């Protein structure tokens, strides 16, 4: 007891009030309690360390599970997108299959039509070969020449009847307004006498003069009778042109709608915008076809449409002349071109120029 006190007194403790004196009888009990507390503290530290290790392991497992869940979610999204793509591909393949079946049916129909066309083509080829064989033979070629000559003679006969129906003649004497100003050398009669005679007078059709000045300039003092005569003459020319074109089997570029002295010429593709103040001479268009009709007569003060109609009529004459290998005499020579057309068709060179 005294030794414990000595030890306690030998220890340098600054605060004497905090000193605790332990009796020897209680020392063993306190020592045992301290040992148990120390062992409990060590156990607690060990448990703390084990719990920390377990907690770290659990946190690591949770983080790995979260990362795997994220990966699974990404894989699920990719799977959904691939599923949508597969559905689209399946739908496209189904549509392509249906289209292929339809095209197969169409191809079958086309093959059948092709077989029919091939059969018809083979028949036509045999006929063509037979016709070629007959043509290259002497009798076949002679027969063709005879048929062509008969056709040309028939065309000459019909054209001569048109010339008798609408004769184009030269009226000898002074003429104030001539439609024919000058001819190329040898273009009409082929000699100087015919050219001199043509220059001395003006051309008439069925005794009527075609006055071109009234179609270019209209005034208050213009003679109405001359205008009516010119319209009648143009009606004669239009009728003659349509007849000769039908005989030569030439489709006119500008068709004619006959109406006597009130005839019209049709332009299926007009390149100019021609307006008129009079409703009777306005453009007549239908709902099915796009064309314009121009009057071959003067009915009012507007002369532009009538002059353009005469120009188109002369273009038809030029087309007929070109079809038989001749050239036009000019854009304003309507009667001269008609006379030249009739002369060439009725000449012997028309038959000699057979193909």
């Amino acid at each position: 007891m005294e030794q414990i006190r000595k030890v306690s007194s030998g220890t340098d403790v600054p605060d004497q009030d905090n000193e605790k004196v332990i009796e020897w009888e209680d020392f063993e009990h306190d020592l045992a309690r301290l040992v148990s507390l120390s062992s409990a503290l060590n156990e607690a530290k060990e448990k703390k360390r084990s719990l920390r290790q377990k907690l770290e392991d659990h946190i690591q497992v949770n983080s790995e599970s979260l990362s795997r869940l994220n990966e699974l979610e990404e894989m699920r999204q990719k799977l959904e997108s691939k599923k949508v793509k597969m559905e689209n591909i399946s739908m496209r393949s189904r549509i392509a299959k249906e289209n292929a079946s339809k095209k197969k049916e169409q191809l079958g129909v086309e093959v059948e039509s092709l077989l029919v066309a091939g059969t018809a083509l083979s028949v036509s080829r045999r006929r063509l070969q037979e016709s070629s064989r007959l043509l290259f033979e002497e009798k076949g070629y002679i027969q063709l020449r005879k048929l062509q000559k008969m056709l040309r003679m028939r065309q000459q006969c019909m054209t001569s009847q048109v010339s008798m129906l609408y004769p184009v003649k030269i009226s000898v004497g002074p003429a104030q307004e001539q439609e024919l100003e000058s001819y190329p050398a040898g273009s009409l009669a082929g000699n100087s006498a015919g050219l001199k005679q043509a220059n001395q007078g003006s051309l008439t059709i069925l005794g009527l003069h075609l006055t071109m000045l009234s179609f270019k300039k209209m005034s208050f003092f213009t003679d109405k009778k001359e205008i009516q005569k010119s319209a009648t003459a143009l009606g004669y020319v239009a009728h003659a042109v349509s007849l000769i074109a039908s005989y030569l089997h030439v489709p006119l570029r500008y068709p004619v709608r006959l109406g006597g002295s009130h005839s019209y010429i049709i332009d299926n593709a007009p390149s100019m915008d021609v307006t008129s103040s009079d409703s009777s001479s306005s453009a007549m268009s239908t709902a099915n076809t796009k064309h314009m009709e121009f009057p071959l007569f003067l009915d009012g003060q507007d002369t532009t449409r009538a002059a353009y109609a005469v120009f188109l009529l002369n273009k038809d004459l030029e087309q007929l002349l070109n079809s038989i290998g001749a050239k036009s005499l000019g854009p304003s020579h309507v009667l001269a071109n008609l006379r030249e057309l009739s002369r060439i068709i009725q000449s012997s060179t028309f038959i000699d120029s057979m193909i």
Side-chain angles (χ1 to χ4, degrees):
M1 187 71 175
E2 291 177 357
Q3 291 178 356
I4 294 172
R5 288 179 180 177
K6 288 180 180 180
V7 171
S8 299
S9 61
T11 305
D12 294 333
V13 178
D15 192 0
Q16 296 294 328
D17 294 334
N18 293 331
E19 290 182 358
K20 184 178 180 181
V21 179
I22 301 173
E23 297 294 335
W24 179 254
E25 290 82 5
D26 298 331
F27 177 73
E28 292 181 358
H29 178 70
D30 291 339
L31 183 60
R33 189 169 61 84
L34 287 174
V35 171
S36 64
L37 288 174
S38 177
S39 62
L41 180 61
N42 291 330
E43 290 178 0
K45 288 181 179 180
E46 187 67 26
K47 287 181 180 180
K48 181 180 179 181
R49 188 167 48 252
S50 63
L51 286 174
R52 179 182 293 176
Q53 184 67 31
K54 289 180 180 180
L55 184 60
E56 289 177 356
D57 295 340
H58 186 67
I59 290 172
Q60 185 177 1
V61 170
N62 285 337
S63 63
E64 291 179 356
S65 63
L66 286 175
S67 63
R68 289 182 180 179
L69 285 174
N70 293 331
E71 291 177 358
L72 287 174
E73 184 65 22
E74 291 178 358
M75 292 176 67
R76 188 183 66 80
Q77 292 178 358
K78 291 180 180 179
L79 182 62
E80 290 293 333
S81 63
K82 289 184 179 180
K83 186 177 179 181
V84 172
K85 289 181 180 179
M86 289 298 295
E87 290 178 355
N88 293 332
I89 292 173
S90 177
M91 183 175 64
R92 291 178 182 175
S93 63
R94 185 169 60 254
I95 294 173
K97 186 177 180 180
E98 293 176 357
N99 293 333
S101 61
K102 291 180 180 179
K103 289 183 178 180
K104 185 177 180 180
E105 294 176 358
Q106 294 177 358
L107 185 61
V109 175
E110 291 178 356
V111 167
E112 291 179 358
S113 62
L114 186 61
L115 291 175
V116 174
T119 304
L121 182 61
S122 61
V123 174
S124 300
R125 180 180 294 177
R126 286 196 298 269
R127 291 178 180 176
L128 181 61
Q129 290 176 354
E130 183 67 20
S131 300
S132 299
R133 186 181 62 80
L134 294 175
L135 180 62
F136 282 109
E137 291 180 357
E138 185 177 358
K139 293 182 179 180
Y141 181 72
I142 293 174
Q143 183 68 20
L144 178 62
R145 294 284 296 181
K146 287 182 179 180
L147 290 176
Q148 287 180 342
K149 187 175 182 180
M150 291 174 61
L151 177 62
R152 290 297 180 96
M153 292 176 65
R154 180 65 176 173
Q155 290 173 346
Q156 277 188 341
C157 179
M158 300 299 291
T159 305
S160 64
Q161 292 181 6
V162 174
S163 299
M164 293 175 61
L165 183 63
Y166 299 113
V168 179
K169 298 181 180 180
I170 299 176
S171 61
V172 180
Q176 185 178 0
E177 298 163 352
Q178 294 185 7
E179 185 245 2
L180 184 64
E181 296 177 357
S182 62
Y183 286 95
S187 60
L188 287 180
N191 50 28
S192 59
L195 180 60
K196 183 177 180 181
Q197 185 180 4
N199 288 331
Q200 289 178 354
S202 61
L203 292 175
T204 61
I205 180 169
L206 208 62
L208 296 177
H209 291 278
L210 180 57
T211 305
M212 299 299 296
L213 185 60
S214 58
F215 286 87
K216 298 178 181 179
K217 185 177 180 181
M218 186 77 175
S219 65
F220 180 76
F221 299 100
T222 304
D223 191 359
K224 303 298 182 181
K225 292 183 179 180
E226 291 296 330
I227 294 175
Q228 185 63 31
K229 289 180 180 180
S230 297
T232 305
L234 285 174
Y236 293 160
V237 174
H239 191 200
V241 167
S242 62
L243 289 176
I244 295 175
S246 64
Y247 300 154
L248 297 179
H249 303 287
V250 176
L252 292 176
R253 188 176 293 109
Y254 305 104
V256 178
R257 185 166 69 86
L258 299 175
S261 61
H262 282 67
S263 299
Y264 290 86
I265 191 163
I266 301 172
D267 188 2
N268 292 317
S271 59
M272 56 181 293
D273 187 11
V274 184
T275 58
S276 176
S277 59
D278 195 354
S279 60
S280 62
S281 60
S282 61
M284 300 179 182
S285 60
T286 61
N288 297 327
T289 58
K290 294 181 179 180
H291 65 266
M292 294 185 68
E293 295 185 356
F294 296 92
L296 288 168
F297 57 91
L298 286 175
D299 192 5
Q301 297 296 324
D302 188 13
T303 60
T304 306
R305 293 173 57 80
Y308 186 65
V310 176
F311 173 76
L312 295 182
L313 182 62
N314 195 68
K315 281 293 183 181
D316 286 340
L317 284 168
E318 182 179 356
Q319 180 185 359
L320 293 176
L321 286 169
N322 293 334
S323 67
I324 60 175
K327 294 183 179 180
S328 173
L329 300 176
S332 301
H333 306 321
V334 178
L335 294 182
N337 285 328
L338 179 60
R339 185 168 181 264
E340 179 72 3
L341 178 64
S342 300
R343 185 191 67 80
I344 293 175
I345 294 176
Q346 297 180 56
S347 64
S348 60
T349 57
F350 181 71
I351 298 178
D352 296 336
S353 62
M354 290 186 302
I355 300 174

